[in-house]
Amino acid sequence: MVPDELRIQLLGHIDQGLLPLSGQKLCIIPLNASQHTHQSFRVEDGCSQFYVKWRSVMPWGANPLIELHLQKELGVLLSEKAFWQSCVFSDSRLQIFPWFEGHTVTSFSPKHIDHVATQLAVLHALPVSDCQLPKRSILPYMAKGFNKLEESLLRDDWRVVELQQRWQRIHTALPFDQLPQVLCHFDPTPGNWMWSEAGGLRLIDWEYAALSIPWMDLASVLLTLDDDTDRKAFLTRYKLAFCESDAVMDWFDADQANDWVELVAIMNDVWETLRAERA
């Protein structure tokens, strides 16, 4: 079922000339059930078709306009790369991408791991020193999350106490200030990769992208891999591809991988706790 609010929003943007659609014979096809805070649709008008992500509510921490802000920089950095998908429109509730004939990955199979590792290595090795990209420092980011938790919940709520204890251990265990800032997707989990036999894997949904610690992307992937063999294969392939780019890799310490995974797990739990409280 297509929400009336989405249809009204699309038609309004078409009338304003903001979307590359005519509005004639507009067809909106739901692609999936609600996933946390958004739904996906295919939108077509007989000539063009697009992938649309529509949010019923805004999640904590999201900056829906960051994707368009990044377009100029990303367009230069990734113009010769085939693994990313550009956003053509974004506002506080709506994102529209060119239609990619494929399907969303539900989990990373062994055949995907090599592609994901290689593409993230290429992304992280890009020269970004002269780019005016937003930065996401993990320590202020986490402080903001815990401040929101304390505003929403009782300070002695067991969920908050447990998250703070986990965070304090990780906070002291990891060398946040000693790692480089690279272009991170920040959410390269399976649902943000599209797959087709012809086009391979393509990374979508760049709204959280920013300069940050490369482990944020790596740990997000590792968190989705249950098999130790797959985890080792992913890190080995990533390291090989990164070194092939001639970029400096003195920051990479595989022995710390589990701690970085725990950090990302804590970040996810903070978000989920806030979302549950708001529901």
Side-chain angles (χ1 to χ4, degrees):
M1 181 176 181
V2 178
D4 290 338
E5 187 178 355
L6 170 62
R7 187 179 297 275
I8 291 171
Q9 198 171 14
L10 282 171
L11 291 173
H13 289 318
I14 290 171
D15 288 343
Q16 296 175 54
L18 299 176
L19 302 183
L21 290 161
S22 66
Q24 301 297 318
K25 297 181 180 180
L26 188 67
C27 183
I28 307 173
I29 305 167
L31 296 177
N32 65 343
S34 177
Q35 295 181 346
H36 298 299
T37 59
H38 75 266
Q39 294 175 276
S40 298
F41 303 86
R42 184 175 73 188
V43 176
E44 54 187 44
D45 63 359
C47 298
S48 304
Q49 55 181 338
F50 296 89
Y51 168 80
V52 170
K53 183 170 75 172
W54 181 78
R55 296 184 184 277
S56 55
V57 296
M58 281 303 300
W60 164 69
N63 180 352
L65 296 179
I66 198 171
E67 198 152 359
L68 290 188
H69 294 163
L70 287 170
Q71 285 308 297
K72 182 177 181 181
E73 302 288 0
L74 285 175
V76 173
L77 293 174
L78 302 176
S79 59
E80 297 181 359
K81 312 301 178 184
F83 64 81
W84 76 300
Q85 189 169 16
S86 172
C87 182
V88 297
F89 179 83
S90 178
D91 65 15
S92 61
R93 303 284 294 280
L94 190 69
Q95 287 183 304
I96 297 184
F97 303 86
W99 179 256
F100 177 69
E101 195 61 50
H103 61 83
T104 301
V105 175
T106 56
S107 62
F108 291 132
S109 67
K111 74 175 181 180
H112 296 144
I113 289 174
D114 184 81
H115 291 276
V116 172
T118 300
Q119 293 176 14
L120 288 180
V122 171
L123 182 69
H124 293 167
L126 290 171
V128 295
S129 58
D130 296 329
C131 295
Q132 300 301 312
L133 295 171
K135 297 180 180 180
R136 180 170 291 166
S137 177
I138 301 304
L139 300 183
Y141 185 78
M142 293 301 295
K144 178 181 178 183
F146 280 110
N147 286 339
K148 286 184 175 291
L149 279 177
E150 293 190 352
E151 292 170 3
S152 303
L153 309 166
L154 294 175
R155 289 175 180 269
D156 59 353
D157 186 290
W158 67 269
R159 293 172 295 179
V160 178
V161 172
E162 181 185 40
L163 283 169
Q164 287 174 329
Q165 290 173 345
R166 291 167 61 193
W167 166 238
Q168 285 304 315
R169 187 188 75 80
I170 290 297
H171 185 187
T172 57
L174 292 174
F176 292 96
D177 297 332
Q178 300 174 28
L179 274 70
Q181 298 287 299
V182 302
L183 177 56
C184 287
H185 180 274
F186 232 86
D187 191 23
T189 48
N192 284 332
W193 293 84
M194 297 287 290
W195 169 264
S196 76
E197 292 295 337
L201 279 180
R202 188 163 298 188
L203 188 54
I204 64 172
D205 287 4
W206 291 76
E207 64 181 310
Y208 296 99
L211 293 179
S212 193
I213 298 169
W215 277 108
M216 293 298 96
D217 282 349
L218 300 183
S220 294
V221 174
L222 292 171
L223 190 59
T224 70
L225 301 176
D226 298 323
D227 188 271
D228 284 342
T229 301
D230 289 343
R231 287 187 170 198
K232 291 178 181 178
F234 170 74
L235 290 177
T236 298
R237 181 55 191 158
Y238 174 89
K239 184 176 181 180
L240 177 62
F242 196 96
C243 291
E244 288 175 348
S245 69
D246 294 328
V248 177
M249 202 179 190
D250 53 5
W251 56 268
F252 185 86
D253 184 351
D255 291 336
Q256 293 181 332
N258 288 337
D259 283 338
W260 290 111
V261 170
E262 171 66 2
L263 169 61
V264 172
I266 293 170
M267 293 172 66
N268 291 344
D269 288 345
V270 168
W271 186 89
E272 288 293 340
T273 303
L274 282 168
R275 187 176 68 87
E277 185 66 15
R278 291 176 178 177

